Amino acid sequence: MRLINLIPARPAAIFLAALPFIAIFAAYSIGSDIRLEANPQDKLLPAPSTIAETAQRLFTEPDRRSKEIFLWNDTFASLARLFGGVGISALLSLLIGLAIGLLPYARSTMSSFIAVLSMVPPLALLPILFIMFGLGETSKVVLIVIGITPFMTRDLAQRVLEIPQEQIVKAQTLGASSAVIAMRVALPQVLPRLISNVRLSLGSAWLFLIAAEAVASNVGLGYRIFLVRRYLAMDVILTYVIWITILAFIIDWLLKTLSRKAFPWMESGL
Amino acid sequence: MRLINLIPARPAAIFLAALPFIAIFAAYSIGSDIRLEANPQDKLLPAPSTIAETAQRLFTEPDRRSKEIFLWNDTFASLARLFGGVGISALLSLLIGLAIGLLPYARSTMSSFIAVLSMVPPLALLPILFIMFGLGETSKVVLIVIGITPFMTRDLAQRVLEIPQEQIVKAQTLGASSAVIAMRVALPQVLPRLISNVRLSLGSAWLFLIAAEAVASNVGLGYRIFLVRRYLAMDVILTYVIWITILAFIIDWLLKTLSRKAFPWMESGL
Amino acid sequence: AEEKTEFKLAWSIYVGWMPWGYLEDSGIMDKWADKYGIDVEIVQFNDYIESINQYTAGAFDGVSATNMDTLSIPSGGGVDTTALIVGDYSNGNDAVIMKGEGGLADLKGKPVNLVELSVSHYLLARGLDSVGLEESDLDGVINTSDADMIAAYATDDVDAVVTWNPLVSEITGSNPTANVLFDSSDIPGEILDLMVVNTETLAGNPSFGKAVAGAWYELMSLMAAGDEAALTAMAEASGTDLAGYKAQLAATEMFYDPAAAVAQSTSADLPTTMTSVAEFLFDKGILGEGAPSADFVGIAYPDGSTTGDAGNVKFRFDTTYMQMAADGAL
Amino acid sequence: MSFVTVSNVWQKYGDRSILERVNVTIEEGEFISIVGASGCGKSTFLRMLLAQERPYKGEISIDGGDTAKEPNRERGVVFQKYSVFPHLSVRENLIAAESFDTAFGRLSGAKRKAAEARADEMLERIGLNHVADQYPASLSGGMQQRLAIGQAMTAKPRILLLDEPFGALDPGTRLQMHDFLLELRDETNMTVFMVTHDLQEGFKLGDRVLVFDKPRWDPHDPGMYGATITYDFDARDGGIPFQLKEDADVSA
Amino acid sequence: MSFVTVSNVWQKYGDRSILERVNVTIEEGEFISIVGASGCGKSTFLRMLLAQERPYKGEISIDGGDTAKEPNRERGVVFQKYSVFPHLSVRENLIAAESFDTAFGRLSGAKRKAAEARADEMLERIGLNHVADQYPASLSGGMQQRLAIGQAMTAKPRILLLDEPFGALDPGTRLQMHDFLLELRDETNMTVFMVTHDLQEGFKLGDRVLVFDKPRWDPHDPGMYGATITYDFDARDGGIPFQLKEDADVSA
Ligand SMILES: Nc1ncnc2c1ncn2[C@@H]1O[C@H](COP(=O)(O)OP(=O)(O)OP(=O)(O)O)[C@@H](O)[C@H]1O
Ligand SMILES: Nc1ncnc2c1ncn2[C@@H]1O[C@H](COP(=O)(O)OP(=O)(O)OP(=O)(O)O)[C@@H](O)[C@H]1O
Ligand SMILES: [Mg+2]
Ligand SMILES: [Mg+2]
């Protein structure tokens, strides 16, 4: 039979799905073993057991001095920044995207500007951002906003443009004003797309967040990673990397679920 | 008339498109003026004329010692890394994407792994990358590859899955093997998507490139920006930012044109 | 240890380390390496910490680092490391700067921006100590990347920074109100800029030590003589001009003469300094969670004495090769 | 006076003439079928009636009014596809025909109640009361088009424009839709314009059948001249005029 | 011996029975129309003939062979949509029917030349020689389906399966396609299975018309029993048997 027609049975499929994770884990363990053999104090690839211990400590034991558990503080601080930045971006891109998609005047004014904006490397502009927004939370949120809004806006505007012209005309024949068309016809139809855009942009948002926290901060996941890099505490770094991965996964899953629940009309197709 | 039905005439449209650029330029000039008024030595917002002079110098005057023009060297070095990384990512994502999309066994094995992989923040893994791949060009290219391949692969696999099942069945009735279906049915149909994926991923690729060059390098656009950032040489930084923006724009435009030229069957619709 | 012929050194941009880049570019290093039949490659890093990490992970045989970072990263990480060359000590290159009038005591209740856990942090701790304050008396320290320190200083959020050259002169030069409260000239000899190498590698390959020391002191004599070409090249590589570089050198106590470097290494103050550095590091948790006390890592001095755990010596000051240079024996 | 007057209407896109010298007058309550070769400008004509675009030259007046500048509640429309809102349930689609005319596009309180009652009446009439809470995507093509027609009629337009409303349906459903439309006509006496590819359909449903075609033809420049109304049949006897038999296949 | 033998075939998806006890034998060269209510399992039956899926129970044999495990060149197929390759030109689509059977999916040299010549012959036969170098997207729906049929026939399958091949076409085009198919049949004497919603079409084109329906029905559990062949008409006289008139609207 052709390979494309061969379908693994249920238990085999589960095993296959686990395979690459097992392989990565095994490769890491062996690498770690080899290095620790040569230098028992090697910090680059700590043993999995060390990572597990460190993780447990980071999640549960408060700091000696401040009596606070850093990991949770870092998580809350980073998530607040992330959600702030992504939320503002979502709102902005929705507003501008609707305007560009629906209004020819807005389209003429903004579409090429946003196309250019989306090509600017935001990290290089950090110094200017600092001056404009200070070193506090604002500039971190703004970096995320600048980093992901142009892309989201372009995509949303495109989706608004793809709403069949028939619907826009139909709404007009029912007496809808531009505002009603925006709110009642276009907005609900691009909301699902907004969510998938947010999902797509979250990777970049994390990146900008970590970069901003590395530059000036005293709490946050990115801050901690770059701080402990100063003494190559890879056990801490790896714990944080895994934790960020898990957080990213949960957020993605929540958004996917939200999208499915909130937009029943998307899926009730025949 | 409704706003959505008001269409600007040709000259008005051109003026409107220029408006935001003019506004940004004006805002910058005023900001720069104010700061230079207060402190003529201020480096943060150099006067546009200063930037123009710096740009001219950077583009044309060779370094006294090495007789080379840094900007061009940086550009070639960075573009080589960028194209290397993006090229490898494109190839990898195409191969894995086709496998996942066509072969149930490959799908079981890799799809959840790649989903997880795409959530890992690659910047945090930089130290490990440098150890594994050295400090040379490899690790910079690898960072780009790790950063953008999972996303591209997921999307391509999705597109392969979206090829109507009818076509796959039809090809089988014409005697096509799995390999022929991959090469002659699936591959040509996802190539346009590959190009648009590359276009989408280039922003992240630049980001990773700049980040990698900031850590270990002695040539490259990102290297230079981080080097002069210590002295807040904003005239140099802004020149480089504008230059990167232009490069990104040209690459994007080339890819768009390539896509249009290479896939006539995409556009010859009724 | 095994013998080998190819060696790699890492360095990053700092006034006292600029000679390393020039050694590679000018061919002086190659000349000395050829003399001893080996090959030495000197690689520049943009990111100082990354260069030490890479050395610690084994990708390099040596790296330019301060005494403090050597103790915390490679030595704390179990890599037995030797200070091959003591290049200089910071004599004003690191500084605590505040906006406006006042003294160290006025830092109380203010946030301070600095690269956390770096020599800046140490300098601040020493400064606060001198006026009877502690870090907890501040409104916290905010980790700020050195690359963005100048931009950070320009924002209203920042009251005080601790940083190093060329950033210090950049800040004091362009901000009339910048007020240096405390600098490394107040703690001379405590912030040492070194070239540290893997002890085992050095032990197995004395010619490596000889070649590096030979090359370094050849260039030192050029610099001492004010060689324009060399100084200009270094100035440009660090992103400034000759005058700017000379100003930075003025705040650096370069040991152009190997004998001076030997003297610094054998100074009686060194063990005291290193002990206070170790305590600082332990206090910040940098020596690792496994570290039971501040003397968890042992440090050996040229006279054979040690501080810290003598059974776990991972950091050694060794004057052998500097002495050879001083004796003209290379 | 006639109800809809189209006088000397031309339309061009760029340099290409699509329609020229179209003149026709329609009485209130007439059902007009429009047929013609593919691409000859039938939809263009309908778009001008709808005021989705304005004629290059000429006037289109309803009940003596001026040429309209944009679509409004005077003109209802049903396209071949996408005529209903996919994100609104069947009932909400009908309510939209009343609520979209308000400032915020929503009705509340008593008004909403009244609109719901009227929507349910319409649902009954178009036979969709059993799927009132479903979304359009879960309806068959025929049901979607019935909904689209019901929605257009809820807004009580003065003229109703149909652009190949049954073009995407299979033959069986199509026949049912014919019955449905004929019933509605008997009840309401609307003025209807319907574009169709199917000549039989045109004659079966229409009171008049307008045939669009190019009367002039420049072999060197096919875009030179536009189409116009070349035949205007009385179809009230319900049959296909014999002389047309060979043209029947305009859709080919 | 009969050419295609379907013996006691059942199909289930999960717990839902779709087809049960389907038995039928077909002679070589017969044209079989398959009709039945929407969702009753016509396409499922075709998919099993195609070997795209295997029966839950029972055997399907062509010319005495075993039940096939996957689609192959013995079975040609044309679906309602997506039956041609959009990225290949019309001529390349026909050549694909020969080249896809090779190791790399490409022909070169003399073989390619010969395949091109045969493709051009086929183009002539299906009336598409004037658009040989265009891509499918620029063809009308009817032309695309003609290409799909031509492509399937180029591979010289032993049976040809058509799943509502004209379902998406407008009535005029549909009639043309009927003529086209009847012509081809006269020339080639293929064994054809065609699913259709249109009973008239089934009787017009088929030698036999198989009607699928559920013979048993459990009101508490509609998924309990599957459909099977309930009528098997001889349609060679070309007319619709009178007793079926009222069932004619199976598509509703
Ligand atoms: N906005 C436009 N810009 C330029 N050309 C257009 C535009 N709209 C339609 N055309 C052209 O005008 C001609 C008439 O189009 P129209 O849609 O009115 O034809 P039609 O008679 O409805 O055809 P069909 O039967 O295929 O629906 C076509 O050749 C079409 O390509
Ligand atoms: N792969 C599948 N998994 C589960 N159920 C399926 C699958 N394929 C088809 N079905 C179900 O089997 C039943 C028969 O489907 P089939 O497509 O054969 O019907 P059909 O007679 O071709 O209908 P139509 O006239 O609408 O094409 C339907 O209820 C369908 O929902
Ligand atoms: Mg039309
Ligand atoms: Mg079917």
Side-chain angles (χ1 to χ4, degrees):
Chain A
M1 264 176 95
R2 291 179 183 90
L3 267 179
I4 58 166
N5 291 330
L6 288 177
I7 298 170
R10 188 97 187 104
I14 292 171
F15 170 74
L16 285 174
L19 201 60
F21 296 98
I22 298 172
I24 284 273
F25 183 79
Y28 180 87
S29 299
I30 294 171
S32 161
D33 259 13
I34 293 175
R35 288 190 70 95
L36 287 172
E37 194 92 348
N39 168 12
Q41 285 179 325
D42 182 68
K43 285 172 156 182
L44 186 79
L45 301 181
S49 60
T50 313
I51 299 180
E53 278 163 31
T54 304
Q56 160 147 25
R57 181 169 55 74
L58 290 174
F59 274 99
T60 55
E61 282 181 27
D63 177 60
R64 269 184 291 149
R65 256 186 313 153
S66 60
K67 305 282 171 261
E68 282 171 346
I69 303 183
F70 283 151
L71 187 131
W72 294 108
N73 285 353
D74 291 339
T75 305
F76 295 134
S78 287
L79 286 185
R81 292 164 185 157
L82 188 78
F83 291 151
V86 172
I88 292 173
S89 298
L91 208 69
L92 273 180
S93 65
L94 199 57
L95 288 177
I96 309 178
L98 279 175
I100 293 182
L102 287 175
L103 310 178
Y105 267 88
R107 187 148 63 245
S108 294
T109 312
M110 285 187 288
S111 65
S112 43
F113 180 61
I114 290 195
V116 170
L117 216 57
S118 69
M119 303 284 168
V120 176
L123 278 188
L125 294 178
L126 263 180
I128 297 186
L129 290 189
F130 285 150
I131 302 303
M132 287 174 69
F133 302 101
L135 275 184
E137 299 301 295
T138 322
S139 58
K140 297 177 189 77
V141 171
V142 168
L143 181 68
I144 296 179
V145 171
I146 292 188
I148 67 177
T149 307
F151 162 77
M152 287 171 72
T153 305
R154 280 181 89 178
D155 190 77
L156 280 182
Q158 190 52 39
R159 297 298 153 158
V160 175
L161 280 169
E162 279 167 14
I163 292 177
Q165 193 56 27
E166 283 91 336
Q167 284 183 29
I168 310 291
V169 171
K170 178 85 180 207
Q172 295 185 56
T173 66
L174 302 181
S177 64
S178 295
V180 168
I181 290 175
M183 287 187 305
R184 297 276 284 141
V185 179
L187 177 65
Q189 292 197 62
V190 293
L191 275 184
R193 184 67 198 179
L194 178 69
I195 293 190
S196 62
N197 261 335
V198 166
R199 288 176 62 199
L200 277 179
S201 301
L202 268 172
S204 308
W206 275 109
L207 223 75
F208 288 118
L209 176 70
I210 291 177
E213 288 183 340
V215 165
S217 185
N218 54 9
V219 63
L221 298 165
Y223 159 77
R224 194 73 52 193
I225 288 179
F226 275 79
L227 183 65
V228 303
R229 203 170 66 102
R230 272 207 87 90
Y231 50 103
L232 202 65
M234 286 306 292
D235 50 345
V236 178
I237 294 184
L238 287 176
T239 303
Y240 269 71
V241 166
I242 295 171
W243 178 230
I244 291 176
T245 306
I246 293 174
L247 287 175
F249 215 84
I250 293 175
I251 296 173
D252 189 65
W253 178 84
L254 285 176
L255 285 171
K256 198 162 65 186
T257 309
L258 170 68
S259 179
R260 232 195 348 253
K261 292 271 161 65
F263 309 110
W265 53 273
M266 291 280 298
E267 302 215 75
S268 56
L270 275 170
Chain B
M1 263 176 97
R2 291 180 184 90
L3 266 179
I4 58 167
N5 291 329
L6 288 177
I7 297 169
R10 189 98 186 105
I14 292 171
F15 170 73
L16 285 175
L19 201 60
F21 295 99
I22 297 172
I24 284 273
F25 183 78
Y28 180 88
S29 300
I30 293 170
S32 161
D33 259 14
I34 292 175
R35 289 188 70 94
L36 287 172
E37 192 91 350
N39 171 11
Q41 235 92 73
D42 182 72
K43 285 175 152 183
L44 186 82
L45 301 183
S49 59
T50 314
I51 299 180
E53 278 163 30
T54 305
Q56 160 146 26
R57 181 168 55 75
L58 290 174
F59 273 99
T60 55
E61 283 180 27
D63 178 57
R64 261 181 297 144
R65 205 160 32 112
S66 59
K67 303 281 171 265
E68 282 171 343
I69 302 183
F70 282 151
L71 187 131
W72 293 108
N73 285 354
D74 291 339
T75 304
F76 294 134
S78 287
L79 286 185
R81 291 163 187 159
L82 189 77
F83 291 151
V86 172
I88 292 173
S89 298
L91 209 69
L92 273 180
S93 66
L94 198 56
L95 288 176
I96 309 179
L98 279 175
I100 292 182
L102 288 175
L103 309 178
Y105 267 89
R107 185 148 65 244
S108 293
T109 312
M110 284 187 290
S111 65
S112 44
F113 180 62
I114 290 193
V116 170
L117 215 59
S118 69
M119 303 285 166
V120 176
L123 277 188
L125 296 178
L126 261 182
I128 299 185
L129 288 188
F130 282 126
I131 304 295
M132 285 174 69
F133 300 102
L135 278 180
E137 300 303 294
T138 321
S139 56
K140 297 176 190 79
V141 170
V142 169
L143 181 67
I144 297 178
V145 171
I146 293 188
I148 67 176
T149 307
F151 163 78
M152 287 172 71
T153 305
R154 280 181 89 175
D155 190 77
L156 280 182
Q158 190 51 40
R159 298 296 153 160
V160 174
L161 280 169
E162 280 169 12
I163 293 177
Q165 193 57 27
E166 283 91 336
Q167 284 183 29
I168 309 291
V169 171
K170 179 85 181 205
Q172 295 186 56
T173 67
L174 302 180
S177 65
S178 295
V180 168
I181 290 175
M183 285 187 308
R184 297 276 284 141
V185 179
L187 177 65
Q189 293 197 61
V190 294
L191 275 184
R193 184 67 200 179
L194 178 70
I195 293 189
S196 62
N197 262 335
V198 166
R199 287 177 61 199
L200 276 179
S201 302
L202 268 171
S204 307
W206 275 109
L207 220 76
F208 289 118
L209 177 69
I210 291 177
E213 287 182 342
V215 170
S217 185
N218 48 19
V219 64
L221 298 165
Y223 163 77
R224 195 73 51 194
I225 287 180
F226 273 76
L227 184 67
V228 303
R229 206 154 117 183
R230 291 214 166 75
Y231 304 92
L232 205 68
M234 287 307 293
D235 50 345
V236 177
I237 293 183
L238 287 175
T239 304
Y240 269 70
V241 166
I242 295 171
W243 178 229
I244 291 176
T245 305
I246 294 173
L247 287 175
F249 215 83
I250 293 174
I251 295 173
D252 188 66
W253 178 85
L254 285 176
L255 284 171
K256 199 161 66 188
T257 310
L258 170 68
S259 180
R260 232 194 349 252
K261 291 271 159 67
F263 309 110
W265 52 272
M266 291 279 299
E267 302 217 75
S268 56
L270 275 170
Chain C
E2 65 180 311
E3 258 185 75
K4 51 181 204 169
T5 57
E6 289 185 3
F7 303 88
K8 281 167 77 180
L9 298 178
W11 73 283
S12 49
I13 292 182
Y14 170 69
V15 46
W17 292 328
M18 294 317 295
W20 292 110
Y22 187 72
L23 285 179
E24 175 80 1
D25 293 345
S26 63
I28 298 178
M29 187 68 245
D30 288 343
K31 192 179 81 187
W32 282 85
D34 288 345
K35 176 172 175 188
Y36 288 98
I38 59 171
D39 206 39
V40 179
E41 191 189 346
I42 303 177
V43 178
Q44 183 199 327
F45 271 68
N46 235 359
D47 186 296
Y48 167 57
I49 287 305
E50 194 55 41
S51 69
I52 304 180
N53 283 346
Q54 293 290 319
Y55 161 75
T56 306
F60 287 83
D61 300 299
V63 66
S64 59
T66 65
N67 52 335
M68 176 176 136
D69 294 313
T70 306
L71 181 57
S72 66
I73 307 178
S75 300
V79 177
D80 195 336
T81 297
T82 297
L84 175 65
I85 289 170
V86 177
D88 66 271
Y89 68 78
S90 170
N91 193 17
N93 257 329
D94 298 77
V96 183
I97 307 171
M98 190 172 76
K99 287 183 182 167
E101 294 302 306
L104 272 175
D106 295 312
L107 286 179
K108 195 169 175 181
K110 286 186 175 155
V112 177
N113 290 68
L114 46 71
V115 178
E116 241 181 283
L117 310 183
S118 70
V119 290
S120 298
H121 206 161
Y122 176 73
L123 179 72
L124 177 68
R126 297 280 286 127
L128 290 175
D129 219 20
S130 70
V131 294
L133 290 177
E134 292 199 36
E135 198 182 308
S136 52
D137 296 323
L138 307 174
D139 183 23
V141 295
I142 295 162
N143 190 33
T144 306
S145 148
D146 56 324
D148 292 294
M149 197 60 81
I150 295 177
Y153 188 85
T155 69
D156 293 335
D157 297 343
V158 171
D159 292 318
V161 301
V162 188
T163 188
W164 55 81
N165 258 328
L167 312 175
V168 170
S169 45
E170 195 67 45
I171 291 174
T172 50
S174 53
N175 295 279
T177 62
N179 175 11
V180 175
L181 303 179
F182 189 76
D183 69 29
S184 49
S185 62
D186 297 323
I187 49 166
E190 291 198 27
I191 301 177
L192 297 172
D193 299 311
L194 318 170
M195 169 53 69
V196 300
V197 297
N198 189 296
T199 304
E200 271 181 54
T201 309
L202 185 62
N205 304 277
S207 54
F208 167 48
K210 290 178 191 168
V212 172
W216 175 261
Y217 286 108
E218 177 180 335
L219 180 53
M220 284 304 110
S221 53
L222 285 180
M223 285 175 73
D227 185 300
E228 284 266 327
L231 288 173
T232 308
M234 288 183 234
E236 281 176 2
S238 71
T240 180
D241 54 19
L242 185 57
Y245 187 59
K246 280 187 166 158
Q248 292 174 27
L249 277 176
T252 313
E253 187 61 37
M254 289 297 292
F255 298 123
Y256 296 120
D257 175 5
V262 171
Q264 174 67 38
S265 308
T266 51
S267 134
D269 292 338
L270 188 58
T272 324
T273 300
M274 289 314 292
T275 306
S276 84
V277 167
E279 263 158 18
F280 170 80
L281 292 176
F282 176 71
D283 186 47
K284 301 287 176 219
I286 306 174
L287 285 179
E289 295 299 328
S293 72
D295 7 302
F296 152 70
V297 181
I299 304 164
Y301 302 93
D303 59 5
S305 65
T306 59
T307 57
D309 182 353
N312 185 35
V313 173
K314 293 294 179 193
F315 189 4
R316 301 163 199 274
F317 286 91
D318 181 353
T319 53
T320 315
Y321 298 91
M322 294 184 285
Q323 191 63 55
M324 284 182 178
D327 300 345
L330 293 171
Chain D
M1 222 206 82
S2 62
F3 186 60
V4 178
T5 317
V6 176
S7 41
N8 201 28
V9 158
W10 298 59
Q11 186 62 303
K12 274 190 173 191
Y13 294 127
D15 275 348
R16 264 180 80 205
S17 289
I18 304 296
L19 293 175
E20 55 177 52
R21 284 175 297 163
V22 180
N23 284 291
V24 67
T25 58
I26 314 288
E27 297 309 316
E28 185 151 16
E30 271 188 317
F31 192 118
I32 312 293
S33 295
I34 298 171
V35 297
S38 193
C40 74
K42 306 181 293 295
S43 298
T44 304
F45 182 60
L46 222 61
R47 279 200 299 274
M48 289 189 299
L49 284 173
L50 183 61
Q52 191 186 341
E53 53 190 55
R54 266 174 282 178
Y56 175 70
K57 232 160 71 176
E59 302 285 325
I60 296 176
S61 139
I62 298 186
D63 210 4
D66 281 342
T67 307
K69 289 190 171 144
E70 55 181 354
N72 55 30
R73 278 175 77 89
E74 279 193 327
R75 303 128 208 266
V77 69
V78 172
F79 299 101
Q80 181 168 347
K81 282 187 298 187
Y82 309 122
S83 294
V84 293
F85 301 110
H87 58 291
L88 300 179
S89 73
V90 168
R91 182 185 284 114
E92 286 165 346
N93 258 291
L94 292 178
I95 295 172
E98 305 194 25
S99 66
F100 275 19
D101 198 24
T102 62
F104 296 103
R106 293 192 181 276
L107 294 174
S108 50
K111 282 192 184 160
R112 167 103 196 162
K113 281 265 176 304
E116 271 175 14
R118 279 191 296 273
D120 284 340
E121 239 169 73
M122 179 57 82
L123 281 174
E124 192 90 31
R125 229 166 115 192
I126 59 180
L128 293 181
N129 32 9
H130 59 297
V131 291
D133 295 318
Q134 290 184 22
Y135 289 98
S138 68
L139 304 185
S140 72
M143 289 159 99
Q144 289 188 22
Q145 290 305 77
R146 264 188 284 169
L147 175 59
I149 294 171
Q151 186 189 46
M153 290 196 339
T154 302
K156 301 208 188 347
R158 308 195 67 175
I159 61 174
L160 180 60
L161 306 166
L162 310 174
D163 195 349
E164 301 190 40
F166 314 133
L169 306 180
D170 61 71
T173 315
R174 214 158 164 146
L175 290 175
Q176 293 182 339
M177 292 302 290
H178 292 170
D179 296 342
F180 168 69
L181 206 57
L182 289 171
E183 253 171 55
L184 280 187
R185 272 195 65 198
D186 289 347
E187 291 174 31
T188 56
N189 194 34
M190 291 177 293
T191 311
V192 181
F193 293 79
M194 179 183 78
V195 169
T196 176
H197 257 120
D198 184 346
L199 209 52
Q200 261 163 309
E201 184 174 274
F203 274 92
K204 177 173 169 192
L205 300 177
D207 297 320
R208 279 164 72 184
V209 175
L210 306 181
V211 182
F212 277 76
D213 205 354
K214 285 196 183 181
R216 304 186 285 175
W217 180 260
D218 182 338
H220 304 298
D221 181 4
M224 184 72 190
Y225 301 115
T228 189
I229 299 174
T230 50
Y231 293 88
D232 182 352
F233 292 105
D234 187 340
R236 248 161 292 197
D237 60 6
I240 300 182
F242 196 76
Q243 76 271 31
L244 263 184
K245 263 292 187 193
E246 54 252 54
D247 293 344
D249 232 334
V250 287
S251 59
Chain E
M1 224 206 84
S2 61
F3 187 59
V4 179
T5 317
V6 176
S7 42
N8 200 29
V9 159
W10 299 59
Q11 186 62 302
K12 274 190 171 189
Y13 294 128
D15 274 351
R16 265 181 79 206
S17 289
I18 305 297
L19 294 174
E20 55 178 51
R21 283 175 298 160
V22 179
N23 284 292
V24 68
T25 58
I26 314 286
E27 298 307 316
E28 186 151 15
E30 272 188 316
F31 191 118
I32 311 294
S33 296
I34 298 170
V35 299
S38 193
C40 75
K42 305 181 294 294
S43 299
T44 304
F45 182 59
L46 223 63
R47 279 200 299 274
M48 289 190 297
L49 284 173
L50 182 60
Q52 190 184 342
E53 53 190 58
R54 265 173 284 176
Y56 174 69
K57 231 160 71 176
E59 302 285 324
I60 297 175
S61 140
I62 298 185
D63 211 5
D66 282 342
T67 308
K69 290 191 171 143
E70 55 181 353
N72 55 31
R73 278 174 76 90
E74 279 194 324
R75 302 127 207 268
V77 70
V78 172
F79 299 102
Q80 182 169 346
K81 282 187 296 189
Y82 308 122
S83 295
V84 293
F85 302 110
H87 58 291
L88 300 179
S89 73
V90 168
R91 183 185 283 112
E92 285 166 346
N93 257 292
L94 291 178
I95 294 172
E98 306 195 24
S99 65
F100 275 20
D101 198 23
T102 61
F104 296 103
R106 293 191 181 277
L107 294 174
S108 51
K111 283 193 183 159
R112 166 105 197 162
K113 281 264 177 306
E116 270 174 14
R118 279 191 295 273
D120 285 339
E121 238 169 73
M122 179 57 81
L123 281 172
E124 192 90 31
R125 229 166 114 193
I126 58 180
L128 294 180
N129 32 9
H130 59 295
V131 292
D133 295 319
Q134 291 185 22
Y135 289 98
S138 68
L139 305 184
S140 71
M143 289 159 99
Q144 289 187 22
Q145 290 303 78
R146 264 188 282 169
L147 175 59
I149 294 172
Q151 186 189 48
M153 289 196 341
T154 304
K156 301 209 187 350
R158 308 197 64 178
I159 61 174
L160 180 60
L161 306 166
L162 311 174
D163 195 350
E164 302 190 38
F166 314 133
L169 306 180
D170 62 70
T173 315
R174 214 158 163 144
L175 290 175
Q176 293 182 339
M177 292 301 291
H178 291 171
D179 297 342
F180 167 69
L181 206 57
L182 289 170
E183 252 171 55
L184 281 187
R185 272 196 65 197
D186 289 346
E187 292 175 30
T188 56
N189 193 35
M190 290 177 293
T191 311
V192 181
F193 293 80
M194 178 182 79
V195 169
T196 174
H197 257 120
D198 185 346
L199 208 53
Q200 259 162 312
E201 184 174 274
F203 276 91
K204 177 173 168 192
L205 300 178
D207 297 321
R208 281 164 72 184
V209 176
L210 305 181
V211 182
F212 278 75
D213 204 355
K214 286 197 182 179
R216 303 186 287 173
W217 178 260
D218 182 337
H220 304 298
D221 182 3
M224 183 74 190
Y225 300 115
T228 189
I229 301 175
T230 50
Y231 294 87
D232 181 352
F233 292 106
D234 187 338
R236 247 161 293 199
D237 59 6
I240 300 182
F242 197 76
Q243 76 272 28
L244 262 184
K245 265 289 186 194
E246 53 253 53
D247 291 343
D249 231 334
V250 285
S251 58

